């Protein structure tokens, strides 16, 4: 699967550990950039750069609140990742459904 | 399906891991048997993606396993193999798992490690399968392998799941 560049692809956007940390913090509610920098123990310019990438793929939204800008998580944009895991889940669901049938037969054989 | 007993739940505990959990309406000795007997593995491991052409299991520590599955109508095959690292009968199996790619004959160095556990309660078995990789790239590649599911197949499965949830 070829993937687009970071700027358009949520998979690549969250492939960076720091950016996932930002999302983890935003799960609990919106934050200003200086809050995020403090919580993550990293410099504000770095955090701003990560936030820009996350905003470009729509995972993070921003709003002005008086003098500060607040960043918040847009969980809906993470859906492709969720769907991706779901597909793997389906493959195993198929296997396990077949295994159910095998087990039913083994149980019947034991009873007879 | 007569008694589907739950759906597989997949979680990603860490960047290097995949954890699958599933409950079965059967005692663990039977689940273990279905998991480790070649003729039985042949009947479920391919899901609905093809047919198993070969299942070899040498169930002892240091022993090897190899599964081969025919896919599509063009005679294509995919194969996996590995080595048993730990075996606790009806409780736990630890193996390596290597996906065989054409032209790649690298050793099993850095192969993902699979840990399967079986625990029974009231005649039902909870199975967990933990895949642990050396790195996130490999973990993601394994997850990616689920991508081949065709649309029709997914619909069939959804229908089956819906029936089983009645």
């Amino acid at each position: 699967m070829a993937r687009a560049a970071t700027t358009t692809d949520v998979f690549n956007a969250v492939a960076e550990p720091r950016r996932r940390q930002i999302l983890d913090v935003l799960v609990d509610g919106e934050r200003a950039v200086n809050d995020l920098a403090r919580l993550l123990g990293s410099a504000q310019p770095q955090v701003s750069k990560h936030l820009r990438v996350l905003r470009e793929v729509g995972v993070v939204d921003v709003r002005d609140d008086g003098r500060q800008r607040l960043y918040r998580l847009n969980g809906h944009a993470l859906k492709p990742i969720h769907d991706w895991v779901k597909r793997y889940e389906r493959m195993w669901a198929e296997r396990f459904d077949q295994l159910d049938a095998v087990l039913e037969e083994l149980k019947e054989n034991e009873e007879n | 399906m007569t008694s589907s007993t739950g759906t597989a739940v997949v979680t990603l505990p860490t960047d290097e891991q995949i954890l699958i959990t599933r409950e079965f309406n059967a005692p663990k000795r039977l689940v273990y048997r279905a998991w480790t007997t070649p003729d039985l593995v042949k009947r479920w491991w391919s899901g609905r993606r093809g047919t198993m052409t070969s299942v070899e299991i040498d169930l002892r520590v240091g022993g090897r396993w190899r599964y081969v599955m025919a896919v599509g109508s063009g005679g294509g095959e995919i194969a996996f193999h590995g080595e048993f690292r730990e075996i606790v009968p009806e409780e736990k199996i630890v193996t390596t798992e290597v996906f065989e790619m054409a032209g790649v004959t690298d050793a099993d160095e850095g192969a993902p490690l699979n840990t399967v556990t079986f625990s029974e309660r009231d005649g039902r078995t909870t199975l967990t399968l933990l895949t642990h990789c050396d790195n996130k790239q490999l973990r993601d590649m394994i997850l990616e392998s689920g991508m081949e599911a065709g649309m029709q197949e997914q619909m069939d499965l959804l229908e089956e799941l819906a029936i089983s949830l009645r």
Side-chain angles (χ1 to χ4, degrees):
Chain A
M1 284 286 293
R3 289 216 181 113
T6 300
T7 47
T8 58
D9 186 322
V10 66
F11 289 90
N12 286 320
V14 301
E16 214 287 329
R18 276 285 176 198
R19 293 202 278 267
R20 285 201 301 278
Q21 283 180 338
I22 291 175
L23 296 179
D24 285 343
V25 171
L26 293 179
V27 164
D28 296 329
E30 43 185 18
R31 297 275 183 180
V33 66
N34 51 355
D35 270 354
L36 283 166
R38 186 173 45 80
L39 286 163
L40 299 173
S42 53
Q44 196 165 315
Q46 260 78 51
V47 174
S48 293
K49 207 156 63 179
H50 287 317
L51 283 168
R52 194 160 54 242
V53 173
L54 292 169
R55 280 181 61 199
E56 276 166 359
V57 298
V59 178
V60 164
D61 294 329
V62 65
R63 71 181 180 92
D64 287 321
D65 178 47
R67 283 190 323 170
Q68 57 175 5
R69 313 191 74 200
L70 292 176
Y71 294 86
R72 68 166 167 239
L73 182 67
N74 173 17
H76 191 72
L78 289 170
K79 190 172 180 299
I81 292 180
H82 177 76
D83 290 348
W84 178 53
V85 174
K86 277 286 173 222
R87 267 188 284 264
Y88 184 77
E89 206 167 83
R90 269 197 285 266
M91 179 177 79
W92 276 96
E94 269 177 45
R95 285 179 176 165
F96 290 148
D97 286 347
Q98 309 268 45
L99 182 50
D100 280 333
V102 171
L103 290 168
E104 283 305 308
E105 209 173 287
L106 292 180
K107 284 200 294 189
E108 277 170 32
N109 292 348
E110 275 202 337
E111 283 161 18
N112 297 338
Chain B
M1 286 305 308
T2 43
S3 68
S4 185
T5 52
T7 45
V9 176
V10 177
T11 56
L12 308 176
T14 71
D15 275 355
E16 292 81 29
Q17 295 179 327
I18 306 168
L19 176 65
I20 306 175
T21 309
R22 172 64 143 77
E23 193 179 82
F24 294 94
N25 185 20
K28 68 181 181 183
R29 68 172 186 283
L30 296 185
V31 181
Y32 185 83
R33 192 191 303 167
W35 196 272
T36 55
T37 308
D39 279 348
L40 297 176
V41 171
K42 268 186 185 172
R43 292 174 47 191
W44 66 266
W45 198 83
S46 53
R48 242 186 273 113
R49 282 142 206 269
T51 50
M52 301 302 289
T53 49
S54 167
V55 174
E56 296 162 43
I57 298 174
D58 180 9
L59 192 64
R60 57 200 169 102
V61 173
R64 318 270 302 162
W65 63 272
R66 186 166 184 262
Y67 296 177
V68 185
M69 178 166 97
V71 286
S73 50
E77 285 190 335
I78 56 171
F80 294 84
H81 70 258
E83 181 183 296
F84 291 99
R85 293 287 171 85
E86 192 184 335
I87 297 169
V88 184
E90 297 178 11
E91 298 276 335
K92 183 181 177 185
I93 302 172
V94 182
T95 69
T96 54
E97 178 175 53
V98 179
F99 174 52
E100 299 177 12
M101 282 180 281
V104 181
T105 51
D106 59 348
D108 298 359
E109 211 53 47
L113 205 61
N114 284 347
T115 302
V116 188
T117 67
F118 307 82
S119 57
E120 186 179 330
R121 196 172 156 194
D122 302 329
R124 298 166 76 86
T125 301
T126 299
L127 180 145
T128 67
L129 169 57
L130 179 71
T131 298
H132 189 105
C133 302
D134 272 358
N135 57 64
K136 183 175 187 295
Q137 286 74 12
L138 183 56
R139 194 279 311 263
D140 288 354
M141 233 167 67
I142 293 172
L143 277 176
E144 198 87 56
S145 67
M147 297 291 263
E148 71 211 29
M151 214 42 216
Q152 189 52 51
E153 191 176 50
Q154 291 175 18
M155 290 302 141
D156 290 350
L157 187 75
L158 282 172
E159 188 177 45
E160 193 167 289
L161 286 175
I163 291 168
S164 74
L165 293 172
R166 273 179 199 162

